[in-house]
Amino acid sequence: MDGHRRRHIPKHSRFRHLIPAISAISAAILLLYCFLSFLAPSPDHFHHFGHHTSFDDHTIDDDTPKVSPIFEVPTSSKMISDRNLWSTSMSKFYFGCSDATSQFPKAQSVTRPNRYLLIDTSGGLNQQRTGITDAVVAARILMLLLLFLSSIRNHFGKIQVLSLRYLMLIGKKWSPYSTRVPRKCDERCYHIHVLPLFSKKRAVELSKFDYRLANELETDFQKLRCRVNYHALKFTAPIVKMGQTLVNRMRNMGKHFVALHLRFEPDMLAFSGCYYGGGEKEIKELGKIRKRWKTLNISDPEKERRQGRCPLTPEEVGLMLRALGYDKNVHIYVASATKQELLPFSPFSSRMAALDFIVCDESDVFVTNNNGNMAKILSGRRRYFGHKVTIRPNAKKLARLFLEREKLTWQEFFIKSADAKVKLVGNNKYIDDDDDQEEEEEEEDGIVSNLRYLF
């Protein structure tokens, strides 16, 4: 009987056999939970998607207080990379080249006798400089003698420049044929539009001569441009002396210095059509200035800023330089001289601009917040003479960055600045500008050209 007795196993003993399996399953669930928690986005991540979550078209407001990031600019700044802020090893691979090739005929052998080209320059200092340079090349294309209505005494390389007074002294009497060539006119264009006029007149005057020569020319004409602009054109002794005084003053402050060309004057701001946060006073004052330009139509200042047509403010330029690695110990030239020193120059805006031109050209780093004439000419000149560091920011890309900076920490802003594609072109640092910007023309009212004094 006992052998056939059924074994009775207590109920709690049966559950003991299940404990290892339950423990293994629990451990697996715990590990899976930890893994998913690690992959899940942080609460801050959801903050970027708004302040509410939608379920079945029902909105649940998130009342959790949000903490805005603190945009605090550090007193010192590390560099974006280990590159030198003041120079680059790439400069040794580049040099200015303006010597004519052996195929370029001597001017004396091709110049048409008793035929004269008159050029009437206009605009500010740098517009005049461009006009003079292009006029010499235009005269060489037409194989003519060149003279300016605002007479100058320079001898531009292979092209002979005669003054109006000289023509009077040798008894030349004529009345020139006045005309205007199309903008960005090339060699063929000059032969078609200007050369036939000399069958009627011995002299032809080209009026309003600004940007009247094409950018793309045959190599020897481009080299002639360089010889005129970078070698023949020189400022007069008083301007050079005062400019060098300012350069030496900056050099005595430290080993390096940055020259900043802001173009943040009221007329420049008015012409840009932008708004800079000055309230009703700014709108009223800039509105008065804008009446000078009857064709200026400003409908959406914010759109202008988003399109990169607004010059960077001094604060924005400072933030850009700090993000690039320049700290508070850097000496920056804006414009500085005593009232007594500037007395011979201050009544003439072109002479004052010439002083800034010299200091900006001699600086270790040149920074500009615009794409105007001076910025373009200095950028080219600094490339030609040793590829010195030039920073020209892409206002369109930086505008988007500055507009959202209150939502960023400085670390995030710094990273985004680096991501704005700071390119090194030769020795010129650009916040990469892949957008074609329209050429700006300097229209300065009441400017006394006085080319004889300037060059």
Side-chain angles (χ1 to χ4, degrees):
M1 294 288 295
D2 291 338
H4 296 281
R5 185 182 297 169
R6 294 176 63 184
R7 294 183 60 188
H8 176 72
I9 301 173
K11 190 180 289 187
H12 67 273
S13 298
R14 282 182 286 178
F15 283 107
R16 271 188 307 185
H17 297 287
L18 298 176
I19 289 175
I22 294 172
S23 299
I25 293 171
S26 300
I29 293 173
L30 181 62
L31 288 173
L32 180 61
Y33 176 79
C34 293
F35 181 70
L36 292 175
S37 299
F38 177 78
L39 292 179
S42 65
D44 289 338
H45 176 78
F46 291 104
H47 174 69
H48 295 287
F49 292 95
H51 297 287
H52 63 270
T53 307
S54 178
F55 297 98
D56 297 328
D57 297 328
H58 295 286
T59 300
I60 300 176
D61 291 328
D62 182 6
D63 295 326
T64 306
K66 300 298 185 298
V67 179
S68 299
I70 301 175
F71 187 79
E72 185 175 341
V73 183
T75 55
S76 62
S77 179
K78 60 182 179 179
M79 295 188 298
I80 287 178
S81 66
D82 58 356
R83 62 178 168 79
N84 193 325
L85 289 173
W86 305 104
S87 64
T88 175
S89 58
M90 292 297 292
S91 61
K92 63 186 178 184
F93 299 110
Y94 299 89
F95 60 92
C97 178
S98 62
D99 293 336
T101 65
S102 57
Q103 290 77 30
F104 197 53
K106 300 293 184 182
Q108 291 85 345
S109 62
V110 296
T111 301
R112 295 181 173 88
N114 300 320
R115 294 292 183 270
Y116 304 97
L117 183 68
L118 288 80
I119 299 295
D120 189 3
T121 58
S122 61
L125 169 71
N126 295 289
Q127 219 169 332
Q128 293 171 12
R129 190 181 192 103
T130 301
I132 293 171
T133 301
D134 288 352
V136 172
V137 179
R140 185 64 174 83
I141 290 173
L142 296 169
M143 294 180 255
L144 305 169
L145 290 176
L146 172 69
L147 60 106
F148 290 88
L149 295 184
S150 298
S151 60
I152 57 176
R153 295 175 294 177
N154 297 77
H155 183 80
F156 294 110
K158 300 298 182 183
I159 300 293
Q160 186 178 4
V161 181
L162 304 177
S163 69
L164 187 60
R165 179 179 299 178
Y166 176 79
L167 287 179
M168 294 298 184
L169 288 174
I170 62 176
K172 300 289 183 183
K173 295 182 179 180
W174 36 258
S175 57
Y177 185 97
S178 184
T179 187
R180 185 182 299 178
V181 294
R183 290 174 66 86
K184 299 183 179 180
C185 196
D186 59 13
E187 297 106 308
R188 184 171 178 272
C189 173
Y190 272 91
H191 287 148
I192 293 173
H193 288 275
V194 182
L195 201 56
L197 300 177
F198 285 93
S199 61
K200 304 175 183 179
K201 294 280 186 176
R202 296 170 63 184
V204 172
E205 175 189 348
L206 300 182
S207 61
K208 195 169 175 57
F209 195 79
D210 57 330
Y211 301 104
R212 303 292 162 175
L213 186 63
N215 290 329
E216 299 296 329
L217 297 173
E218 188 267 324
T219 300
D220 270 314
F221 289 133
Q222 295 286 43
K223 288 186 173 184
L224 178 58
R225 250 181 177 152
C226 291
R227 290 200 296 279
V228 176
N229 198 4
Y230 302 139
H231 297 285
L233 268 178
K234 298 182 185 300
F235 293 115
T236 55
I239 292 177
V240 172
K241 183 178 179 181
M242 187 66 236
Q244 197 58 50
T245 297
L246 297 176
V247 171
N248 293 339
R249 194 168 294 165
M250 295 301 300
R251 293 280 180 221
N252 291 335
M253 294 180 182
K255 186 177 180 181
H256 304 289
F257 77 93
V258 174
L260 186 58
H261 185 240
L262 280 176
R263 285 310 307 268
F264 212 69
E265 306 90 358
D267 58 341
M268 180 68 178
L269 301 184
F271 189 77
S272 71
C274 303
Y275 175 68
Y276 297 92
E280 290 297 326
K281 184 178 180 181
E282 176 189 323
I283 294 173
K284 184 178 179 180
E285 291 181 358
L286 294 185
K288 290 180 180 179
I289 302 175
R290 285 177 182 142
K291 292 179 180 178
R292 297 180 190 172
W293 300 283
K294 296 180 180 179
T295 58
L296 190 63
N297 183 22
I298 305 301
S299 58
D300 190 350
E302 285 303 315
K303 181 179 179 182
E304 297 295 312
R305 176 170 290 275
R306 291 193 300 270
Q307 292 298 320
R309 297 191 180 100
C310 300
L312 300 183
T313 67
E315 180 191 21
E316 291 169 343
V317 172
L319 291 173
M320 178 190 72
L321 290 177
R322 176 58 55 83
L324 286 173
Y326 298 93
D327 60 27
K328 65 178 183 179
N329 296 319
V330 171
H331 294 284
I332 299 179
Y333 171 86
V334 179
S336 56
T338 66
K339 185 176 181 180
Q340 188 64 30
E341 287 174 323
L342 293 179
L343 196 59
F345 312 98
S346 54
F348 308 96
S349 60
S350 289
R351 299 183 192 181
M352 295 288 284
L355 296 178
D356 284 341
F357 187 100
I358 292 173
V359 182
C360 290
D361 184 36
E362 291 288 333
S363 65
D364 299 285
V365 176
F366 172 59
V367 183
T368 176
N369 70 338
N370 63 86
N371 199 35
N373 293 315
M374 184 165 176
K376 292 175 183 176
I377 290 178
L378 275 169
S379 295
R381 183 177 178 85
R382 290 171 67 86
R383 289 184 196 177
Y384 186 86
F385 291 107
H387 266 255
K388 294 184 286 186
V389 178
T390 297
I391 298 176
R392 294 172 64 186
N394 181 336
K396 185 174 182 178
K397 290 182 178 177
L398 284 178
R400 294 193 291 266
L401 184 59
F402 287 127
L403 287 173
E404 65 179 19
R405 74 182 186 210
E406 295 304 326
K407 302 176 184 177
L408 306 172
T409 63
W410 172 256
Q411 287 74 18
E412 291 172 319
F413 177 82
F414 182 82
I415 292 171
K416 286 179 179 289
S417 296
D419 290 342
K421 298 181 181 177
V422 179
K423 287 201 308 187
L424 193 63
V425 182
N427 197 19
N428 291 264
K429 296 176 179 60
Y430 291 83
I431 307 291
D432 184 22
D433 194 348
D434 55 5
D435 303 300
D436 292 330
Q437 297 186 6
E438 296 180 0
E439 285 186 343
E440 299 177 20
E441 297 183 27
E442 291 183 354
E443 294 293 344
E444 302 181 31
D445 298 329
I447 285 182
V448 179
S449 299
N450 204 344
L451 290 176
R452 178 185 296 277
Y453 189 89
L454 287 168
F455 300 108

XYZ file of all heavy atoms in Angstrom, residues 111-171:
481
model
N 50.789 103.519 -80.483
C 49.910 104.644 -80.130
C 49.626 105.515 -81.353
O 50.537 105.908 -82.089
C 50.557 105.508 -79.031
O 50.780 104.675 -77.884
C 49.640 106.660 -78.636
N 48.350 105.813 -81.579
C 47.942 106.672 -82.695
C 48.320 108.123 -82.384
O 47.942 108.654 -81.344
C 46.437 106.561 -82.927
C 45.984 105.180 -83.386
C 44.489 105.152 -83.622
N 44.053 103.888 -84.217
C 43.719 102.803 -83.533
N 43.752 102.838 -82.204
N 43.342 101.697 -84.133
N 49.023 108.800 -83.278
C 49.444 110.185 -83.010
C 48.272 111.158 -83.100
O 47.332 110.965 -83.885
C 50.469 110.455 -84.122
C 50.053 109.555 -85.233
C 49.500 108.317 -84.588
N 48.343 112.205 -82.268
C 47.358 113.288 -82.296
C 45.922 112.811 -82.089
O 44.986 113.357 -82.678
C 47.465 114.079 -83.616
C 48.836 114.694 -83.788
O 49.423 115.191 -82.827
N 49.349 114.653 -85.004
N 45.760 111.782 -81.298
C 44.438 111.306 -80.925
C 44.413 111.173 -79.402
O 45.304 110.559 -78.818
C 44.106 109.959 -81.583
C 43.989 110.021 -83.091
C 42.766 110.825 -83.508
N 42.568 110.849 -84.954
C 43.095 111.769 -85.756
N 43.877 112.725 -85.245
N 42.852 111.746 -87.060
N 43.375 111.741 -78.777
C 43.382 111.842 -77.321
C 42.076 111.314 -76.720
O 40.982 111.556 -77.250
C 43.577 113.302 -76.892
C 44.822 113.909 -77.460
C 44.759 114.691 -78.623
C 46.060 113.695 -76.874
C 45.902 115.252 -79.169
C 47.214 114.247 -77.414
C 47.129 115.018 -78.566
O 48.273 115.561 -79.112
N 42.219 110.597 -75.615
C 41.080 110.082 -74.867
C 40.993 110.828 -73.547
O 41.951 110.864 -72.771
C 41.242 108.578 -74.604
C 40.083 107.902 -73.885
C 38.837 107.868 -74.772
C 40.468 106.478 -73.455
N 39.852 111.463 -73.297
C 39.632 112.188 -72.052
C 38.730 111.365 -71.136
O 37.739 110.793 -71.589
C 38.976 113.549 -72.315
C 39.822 114.650 -72.961
C 39.915 114.443 -74.454
C 39.216 116.008 -72.651
N 39.089 111.332 -69.877
C 38.303 110.580 -68.898
C 37.862 111.522 -67.789
O 38.664 112.259 -67.227
C 39.110 109.414 -68.288
C 39.521 108.432 -69.378
C 38.304 108.714 -67.201
C 38.380 107.725 -70.042
N 36.581 111.471 -67.465
C 36.028 112.281 -66.388
C 35.671 111.346 -65.233
O 34.667 110.640 -65.273
C 34.772 113.019 -66.873
C 34.292 114.046 -65.860
O 34.964 114.218 -64.830
O 33.244 114.668 -66.101
N 36.533 111.316 -64.205
C 36.294 110.419 -63.074
C 35.248 111.012 -62.143
O 35.032 112.222 -62.107
C 37.590 110.182 -62.277
O 38.091 111.436 -61.821
C 38.617 109.492 -63.129
N 34.600 110.144 -61.357
C 33.567 110.611 -60.438
C 33.541 109.727 -59.213
O 34.213 108.693 -59.155
C 32.193 110.565 -61.131
O 31.883 109.232 -61.508
N 32.769 110.149 -58.201
C 32.593 109.343 -57.011
C 33.644 109.593 -55.952
O 34.368 110.585 -55.972
N 33.714 108.667 -55.009
C 34.647 108.780 -53.896
C 36.044 108.319 -54.253
O 36.355 108.001 -55.400
N 36.887 108.243 -53.233
C 38.296 107.925 -53.423
C 38.506 106.636 -54.207
O 39.229 106.601 -55.201
C 38.979 107.807 -52.051
C 40.392 107.221 -52.069
C 41.367 108.210 -52.683
C 40.836 106.839 -50.669
N 37.856 105.576 -53.792
C 38.110 104.278 -54.406
C 37.437 104.135 -55.755
O 37.911 103.401 -56.620
C 37.662 103.173 -53.447
C 38.497 103.167 -52.181
O 39.665 102.806 -52.198
N 37.911 103.597 -51.077
N 36.336 104.855 -55.955
C 35.718 104.891 -57.276
C 36.633 105.617 -58.250
O 36.785 105.222 -59.406
C 34.368 105.596 -57.182
C 33.294 104.943 -58.046
C 31.920 105.464 -57.751
O 31.635 105.889 -56.635
N 31.050 105.458 -58.733
N 37.272 106.683 -57.775
C 38.231 107.407 -58.618
C 39.426 106.518 -58.947
O 39.911 106.503 -60.085
C 38.701 108.665 -57.888
C 37.626 109.719 -57.690
C 38.091 110.828 -56.772
O 39.273 110.935 -56.464
N 37.158 111.633 -56.321
N 39.888 105.782 -57.951
C 41.047 104.917 -58.173
C 40.738 103.861 -59.240
O 41.548 103.620 -60.139
C 41.437 104.245 -56.857
C 42.763 103.532 -56.923
C 43.111 102.855 -55.621
N 44.501 102.436 -55.647
C 45.505 103.051 -55.040
N 45.267 104.141 -54.329
N 46.736 102.614 -55.139
N 39.569 103.272 -59.142
C 39.162 102.290 -60.149
C 39.040 102.941 -61.519
O 39.452 102.368 -62.540
C 37.817 101.649 -59.753
O 37.950 101.025 -58.479
C 37.374 100.621 -60.783
N 38.458 104.164 -61.540
C 38.294 104.880 -62.803
C 39.617 105.175 -63.475
O 39.765 105.015 -64.693
N 40.607 105.617 -62.697
C 41.927 105.922 -63.250
C 42.571 104.659 -63.819
O 43.103 104.652 -64.936
C 42.835 106.544 -62.169
C 42.303 107.920 -61.760
C 44.269 106.663 -62.667
C 42.997 108.509 -60.560
N 42.528 103.581 -63.031
C 43.128 102.316 -63.474
C 42.501 101.833 -64.778
O 43.204 101.484 -65.738
C 42.960 101.248 -62.382
O 43.592 101.692 -61.179
C 43.558 99.927 -62.812
N 41.168 101.819 -64.820
C 40.480 101.338 -66.019
C 40.672 102.264 -67.212
O 40.701 101.816 -68.363
C 38.989 101.165 -65.723
C 38.718 99.963 -64.835
O 39.661 99.186 -64.576
O 37.561 99.799 -64.392
N 40.801 103.567 -66.930
C 40.998 104.517 -68.028
C 42.320 104.277 -68.738
O 42.408 104.370 -69.971
C 40.931 105.943 -67.494
N 43.365 103.966 -67.972
C 44.670 103.687 -68.582
C 44.575 102.451 -69.478
O 45.095 102.433 -70.594
C 45.737 103.481 -67.489
C 47.046 103.006 -68.103
C 45.959 104.771 -66.710
N 43.888 101.435 -69.014
C 43.738 100.218 -69.816
C 42.882 100.487 -71.051
O 43.187 99.995 -72.152
C 43.125 99.087 -68.967
C 42.941 97.824 -69.803
C 43.994 98.795 -67.751
N 41.831 101.286 -70.898
C 40.986 101.630 -72.046
C 41.793 102.372 -73.111
O 41.643 102.125 -74.316
C 39.804 102.478 -71.593
N 42.657 103.291 -72.665
C 43.499 104.028 -73.602
C 44.456 103.081 -74.334
O 44.725 103.245 -75.527
C 44.285 105.109 -72.859
N 44.951 102.085 -73.610
C 45.877 101.121 -74.236
C 45.135 100.231 -75.232
O 45.673 99.871 -76.290
C 46.532 100.276 -73.142
C 47.590 99.320 -73.678
C 48.754 100.111 -74.290
N 49.840 99.238 -74.686
C 49.907 98.557 -75.829
N 48.917 98.638 -76.696
N 50.964 97.807 -76.102
N 43.885 99.869 -74.909
C 43.080 99.076 -75.837
C 42.863 99.835 -77.133
O 42.962 99.281 -78.240
C 41.727 98.719 -75.193
C 41.926 97.699 -74.066
C 40.743 98.177 -76.236
C 40.670 97.418 -73.256
N 42.592 101.144 -77.019
C 42.329 101.984 -78.188
C 43.605 102.535 -78.806
O 43.558 103.176 -79.862
C 41.410 103.145 -77.789
C 40.015 102.740 -77.316
C 39.307 103.933 -76.692
C 39.194 102.177 -78.469
N 44.737 102.311 -78.121
C 46.044 102.800 -78.590
C 46.047 104.319 -78.749
O 46.411 104.859 -79.796
C 46.439 102.105 -79.895
C 46.696 100.621 -79.718
S 47.161 99.787 -81.239
C 45.640 98.921 -81.624
N 45.602 104.997 -77.679
C 45.495 106.457 -77.686
C 46.283 107.049 -76.535
O 46.618 106.369 -75.557
C 44.027 106.877 -77.546
C 43.046 106.306 -78.568
C 41.629 106.601 -78.123
C 43.302 106.916 -79.945
N 46.557 108.353 -76.644
C 47.097 109.092 -75.515
C 45.949 109.416 -74.563
O 44.828 109.690 -74.997
C 47.788 110.375 -75.979
C 49.101 110.193 -76.754
C 49.604 111.557 -77.225
C 50.156 109.514 -75.897
N 46.243 109.401 -73.280
C 45.209 109.563 -72.268
C 45.428 110.841 -71.472
O 46.553 111.215 -71.154
C 45.245 108.370 -71.301
C 44.356 108.437 -70.067
C 42.886 108.341 -70.467
C 44.714 107.311 -69.100
N 44.325 111.513 -71.140
C 44.406 112.648 -70.228
C 43.133 112.708 -69.396
O 42.090 112.181 -69.780
C 44.627 113.959 -70.967
C 43.562 114.377 -71.985
C 42.729 115.508 -71.400
C 44.205 114.786 -73.283
N 43.259 113.328 -68.206
C 42.110 113.454 -67.309
C 41.685 114.892 -67.229
O 42.517 115.801 -67.215
C 42.482 112.971 -65.904
C 42.692 111.506 -65.838
C 43.928 110.954 -66.107
C 41.662 110.671 -65.496
C 44.121 109.611 -66.053
C 41.847 109.315 -65.433
C 43.073 108.776 -65.708
N 40.382 115.100 -67.122
C 39.886 116.463 -66.950
C 40.307 117.022 -65.603
O 40.590 118.202 -65.469
C 38.355 116.494 -67.085
C 37.826 116.115 -68.469
C 36.317 116.286 -68.513
C 38.467 116.982 -69.543
N 40.329 116.166 -64.581
C 40.952 116.545 -63.315
C 42.404 116.136 -63.448
O 42.759 114.983 -63.270
C 40.278 115.817 -62.145
O 38.928 116.166 -62.054
N 43.260 117.089 -63.818
C 44.612 116.743 -64.261
C 45.439 116.123 -63.144
O 45.340 116.486 -61.991
C 45.321 118.004 -64.784
O 45.393 118.972 -63.758
N 46.252 115.139 -63.500
C 47.186 114.511 -62.584
C 48.545 114.451 -63.253
O 48.665 114.613 -64.462
C 46.728 113.089 -62.186
C 46.558 112.232 -63.435
C 45.445 113.120 -61.387
C 46.196 110.802 -63.125
N 49.577 114.205 -62.455
C 50.933 114.295 -62.980
C 51.636 112.944 -63.074
O 52.807 112.878 -63.403
C 51.763 115.232 -62.086
C 51.276 116.674 -62.100
C 52.052 117.521 -61.119
N 51.788 117.102 -59.746
C 52.383 117.625 -58.685
N 53.293 118.556 -58.841
N 52.092 117.210 -57.471
N 50.934 111.879 -62.750
C 51.584 110.571 -62.752
C 51.896 110.089 -64.159
O 51.242 110.471 -65.121
C 50.693 109.526 -62.068
C 50.469 109.851 -60.619
O 49.674 110.720 -60.306
N 51.183 109.183 -59.752
N 52.887 109.249 -64.243
C 53.231 108.587 -65.497
C 52.940 107.109 -65.295
O 53.618 106.419 -64.539
C 54.707 108.785 -65.828
C 55.099 108.179 -67.134
N 54.859 108.790 -68.333
C 55.709 107.006 -67.429
C 55.315 108.033 -69.320
N 55.835 106.940 -68.791
N 51.894 106.589 -65.920
C 51.437 105.240 -65.685
C 52.160 104.244 -66.587
O 51.698 103.917 -67.671
C 49.923 105.132 -65.931
C 49.109 105.902 -64.953
C 48.426 107.040 -65.342
C 49.009 105.485 -63.637
C 47.658 107.741 -64.442
C 48.245 106.179 -62.730
C 47.568 107.312 -63.130
N 53.276 103.735 -66.139
C 53.972 102.672 -66.863
C 54.207 103.020 -68.320
O 54.851 104.009 -68.647
N 53.651 102.212 -69.213
C 53.874 102.360 -70.646
C 52.882 103.314 -71.303
O 52.978 103.577 -72.490
C 53.766 100.986 -71.328
C 54.767 99.969 -70.817
C 56.196 100.396 -71.074
C 57.180 99.345 -70.610
N 58.588 99.745 -70.776
N 51.911 103.817 -70.517
C 50.923 104.716 -71.094
C 51.260 106.145 -70.711
O 51.458 106.463 -69.549
C 49.511 104.384 -70.570
C 49.135 102.949 -70.948
C 48.472 105.348 -71.112
C 48.959 102.737 -72.423
N 51.330 107.035 -71.704
C 51.634 108.431 -71.433
C 50.356 109.165 -71.037
O 49.328 109.074 -71.697
C 52.243 109.099 -72.673
C 52.710 110.516 -72.403
C 53.349 111.137 -73.629
O 53.368 110.519 -74.692
N 53.857 112.337 -73.491
N 50.412 109.863 -69.900
C 49.266 110.613 -69.415
C 49.587 112.098 -69.507
O 50.549 112.577 -68.938
C 48.940 110.244 -67.950
C 47.734 111.025 -67.475
C 48.675 108.757 -67.839
N 48.776 112.812 -70.255
C 48.987 114.242 -70.459
C 47.925 115.027 -69.717
O 46.785 114.600 -69.597
C 48.919 114.574 -71.949
C 49.888 113.811 -72.860
C 49.642 114.211 -74.302
C 51.331 114.097 -72.473
N 48.284 116.161 -69.209
C 47.314 117.008 -68.516
C 46.699 117.993 -69.506
O 47.246 118.287 -70.568
C 47.998 117.777 -67.387
O 48.889 118.742 -67.919
N 45.529 118.505 -69.135
C 44.834 119.474 -69.971
C 45.685 120.724 -70.155
O 45.743 121.311 -71.234
C 43.484 119.830 -69.332
C 42.535 120.706 -70.148
C 42.187 120.023 -71.457
C 41.266 120.994 -69.350
N 46.393 121.131 -69.094
C 47.259 122.314 -69.167
C 48.365 122.107 -70.199
O 48.711 123.022 -70.951
C 47.868 122.594 -67.787
C 48.798 123.795 -67.774
C 49.355 124.036 -66.381
N 48.288 124.321 -65.419
C 48.491 124.532 -64.117
N 49.714 124.453 -63.631
N 47.498 124.795 -63.318
N 48.902 120.871 -70.263
C 49.959 120.582 -71.228
C 49.450 120.755 -72.645
O 50.130 121.339 -73.506
C 50.470 119.157 -71.013
C 51.498 118.720 -72.031
C 52.830 119.126 -71.918
C 51.143 117.915 -73.108
C 53.775 118.730 -72.852
C 52.082 117.506 -74.042
C 53.397 117.920 -73.901
O 54.323 117.533 -74.833
N 48.259 120.289 -72.923
C 47.699 120.433 -74.259
C 47.503 121.895 -74.626
O 47.703 122.299 -75.772
C 46.369 119.692 -74.351
C 46.469 118.155 -74.380
C 45.083 117.557 -74.436
C 47.294 117.691 -75.567
N 47.103 122.696 -73.657
C 46.914 124.131 -73.912
C 48.245 124.789 -74.250
O 48.331 125.642 -75.132
C 46.294 124.798 -72.689
C 44.878 124.341 -72.381
S 43.718 124.735 -73.715
C 42.186 124.167 -72.976
N 49.300 124.379 -73.532
C 50.603 124.992 -73.742
C 51.163 124.695 -75.124
O 51.818 125.538 -75.736
C 51.593 124.487 -72.672
C 51.359 125.021 -71.249
C 52.311 124.342 -70.275
C 51.545 126.535 -71.199
N 50.908 123.500 -75.647
C 51.455 123.175 -76.962
C 50.516 123.604 -78.085
O 50.759 123.311 -79.249
C 51.750 121.668 -77.067
C 50.470 120.841 -76.912
C 52.782 121.238 -76.049
C 50.702 119.348 -77.112
N 49.462 124.302 -77.729
C 48.623 124.918 -78.743
C 47.594 124.016 -79.370
O 47.071 124.317 -80.447
